[in-house]
Amino acid sequence: DRSTKKIVVRDGQVFAFTGDFGVFEPAIAWFLAGHDPDKAPKASKDGSWRLLVMGKNHLTSYTDTLPYGEPFPYPQAFGSGANYAQTAMRLGKSAAAAVAVAVEMDVFTAGPIQVVDIAKALGLAPLPEDQTYVPHPDKPGKFVVRQGKRERAA
């Protein structure tokens, strides 16, 4: 069922989507073509959309009303059940368990729940829990691994 696939991996990118589902594929094509804000797909008359592009340390949100890209830190939740899911994650639930809470609490959130390991999908080496990827201070597009206060090249 196409409506349940709200996360896809394509061309080395991880995309997620909320809102007017008919715009999902056009929004991905728009992003891959350079995401010119003036050429962003239009939502249906009564709809709206949000395309989420996931990276190493944050995700970037593009919407029909703000097609310029807005970064958000992890963990994050979007859609009608976002407040329930975000609260559940703050209370220690995994992302999948948090979505299950949102499904239970929000009539507009439904399963099945789709889980994607972002680091694996992006082809990144797994890191221990006490480490994270951070942008390299002098090399755009490159990353270093942070553990405590020390950093090493990724």
Side-chain angles (χ1 to χ4, degrees):
D1 179 76
R2 201 182 123 141
S3 66
T4 62
K5 297 293 182 188
K6 294 203 170 194
I7 303 172
V8 299
V9 179
R10 187 170 305 147
D11 293 344
Q13 302 280 337
V14 179
F15 298 100
F17 197 79
T18 68
D20 191 348
F21 195 73
V23 183
F24 193 11
E25 288 299 326
I28 291 173
W30 165 77
F31 179 84
L32 293 173
H35 46 284
D36 178 348
D38 294 328
K39 296 180 181 177
K42 303 297 181 215
S44 63
K45 180 182 176 196
D46 296 321
S48 63
W49 60 264
R50 178 184 302 268
L51 178 68
L52 304 166
V53 183
M54 301 182 199
K56 289 181 181 181
N57 298 302
H58 68 278
L59 59 88
T60 304
S61 169
Y62 299 87
T63 69
D64 57 309
T65 58
L66 186 65
Y68 299 98
E70 179 179 11
F72 286 89
Y74 292 125
Q76 199 58 246
F78 291 92
S80 64
N83 289 338
Y84 299 113
Q86 193 73 18
T87 299
M89 286 188 291
R90 296 276 174 136
L91 294 173
K93 298 280 188 190
S94 69
V99 174
V101 168
V103 167
E104 186 177 322
M105 302 297 293
D106 179 61
V107 298
F108 299 107
T109 301
I113 297 168
Q114 187 180 359
V115 178
V116 173
D117 182 325
I118 296 168
K120 185 176 179 182
L122 292 175
L124 302 174
L127 294 175
E129 287 188 27
D130 63 335
Q131 296 180 358
T132 187
Y133 288 103
V134 296
H136 192 286
D138 302 318
K139 298 178 184 175
K142 300 290 183 183
F143 293 84
V144 294
V145 176
R146 176 174 288 155
Q147 179 175 5
K149 295 185 180 192
R150 297 177 23 207
E151 296 181 354
R152 63 180 170 85

